[in-house]
Amino acid sequence: FHFDQEGNFEKFVAQRYKDVDEHAEPMEWTVSSNKTEVRDGVRIPVELEATWKLEELDWTWLKLKIGAVNYKTN
């Protein structure tokens, strides 16, 4: 997990299996925050991208925008 000087989430990087076949190898997978906002008093990333680092290129397969957040209490 990576955070900036103010403690905002920047990204996390993991080794994950992109494929499910028996010869699959773990590959670098990154989720990066492009925008952070305060929602109901909590600072959260609201625009993110998920990217596989492939041999030939970086493949961003998901761009996510969070429109609303509902917090539950017990």
Side-chain angles (χ1 to χ4, degrees), residues 13-48:
V13 180
Q15 294 294 312
R16 298 195 51 187
Y17 289 92
K18 180 179 152 293
D19 298 312
V20 294
D21 66 62
E22 64 186 55
H23 302 291
E25 294 287 330
M27 303 174 76
E28 184 176 304
W29 184 71
T30 303
V31 175
S32 302
S33 173
N34 298 327
K35 185 176 182 182
T36 300
E37 293 181 353
V38 175
R39 302 284 176 95
D40 292 330
V42 180
R43 181 172 294 279
I44 62 169
V46 294
E47 292 184 12
L48 303 109

Side-chain angles (χ1 to χ4, degrees), residues 1-11 33 36 42-45:
F1 284 86
H2 300 260
F3 300 90
D4 66 16
Q5 293 292 331
E6 289 79 40
N8 297 309
F9 171 79
E10 289 184 329
K11 67 180 177 178
S33 173
T36 300
V42 180
R43 181 172 294 279
I44 62 169

